[in-house]
Amino acid sequence: MSLWTAAERAQMLIGVALGDLQRQVGANIRRHRKHEGLTQEEFARRVGVHRTYLGGLERGERNLTLKAVESIAQQLGLEPLVLLASEEDRARMADLAAPPALQLGIRTSSSESAGSAPSR
């Protein structure tokens, strides 16, 4: 008989503490809601949930179904995976969205400061 629960084994394997994803999704919802300039009340009305439920989501106190993640992402104009992404994941996504020259650290004429001539 194992001394570890299935949840504890999963935590050890993936290195994510239980509840971290829930808090991460909540923080992402809050960040995107604020970026859109919406209050909790306005956004809750738009998504079709109560304001206190949305507050619980943003604090990572409530579990979300995948259907709810899809609905909230749609209301924010995002792909659902964006709400699940960690800060590190978002940084990697931003790097991938950068032009290839910037990904490699190569200076291009548009990235050089204005008025300076390229060295020969």
Side-chain angles (χ1 to χ4, degrees):
M1 174 174 240
S2 174
L3 296 175
W4 305 102
T5 66
E8 290 167 330
R9 285 193 302 273
Q11 178 182 345
M12 289 185 295
L13 289 173
I14 61 173
V16 175
L18 294 176
D20 278 357
L21 182 59
Q22 197 169 301
R23 285 186 289 278
Q24 183 173 289
V25 170
N28 287 339
I29 291 170
R30 177 182 291 126
R31 186 171 44 80
H32 286 289
R33 174 186 59 78
K34 286 184 172 189
H35 178 75
E36 294 295 317
L38 298 169
T39 65
Q40 277 186 344
E41 192 167 344
E42 292 167 331
F43 187 64
R45 193 176 318 118
R46 192 185 279 188
V47 176
V49 298
H50 194 273
R51 177 191 54 79
T52 57
Y53 177 76
L54 179 63
L57 291 176
E58 289 186 354
R59 290 187 302 275
E61 297 170 352
R62 300 272 186 165
N63 277 320
L64 282 160
T65 64
L66 292 176
K67 190 180 265 187
V69 171
E70 287 177 322
S71 175
I72 291 168
Q74 182 180 23
Q75 290 300 321
L76 289 168
L78 302 170
E79 290 295 322
L81 287 177
V82 172
L83 292 180
L84 301 173
S86 68
E87 215 171 301
E88 293 166 349
D89 295 334
R90 288 192 307 273
R92 280 194 297 265
M93 285 188 268
D95 287 345
L96 292 175
L102 293 179
Q103 289 177 18
L104 298 173
I106 300 170
R107 295 188 88 172
T108 62
S109 59
S110 63
S111 67
E112 293 175 3
S113 60
S116 65
S119 59
R120 295 186 190 237

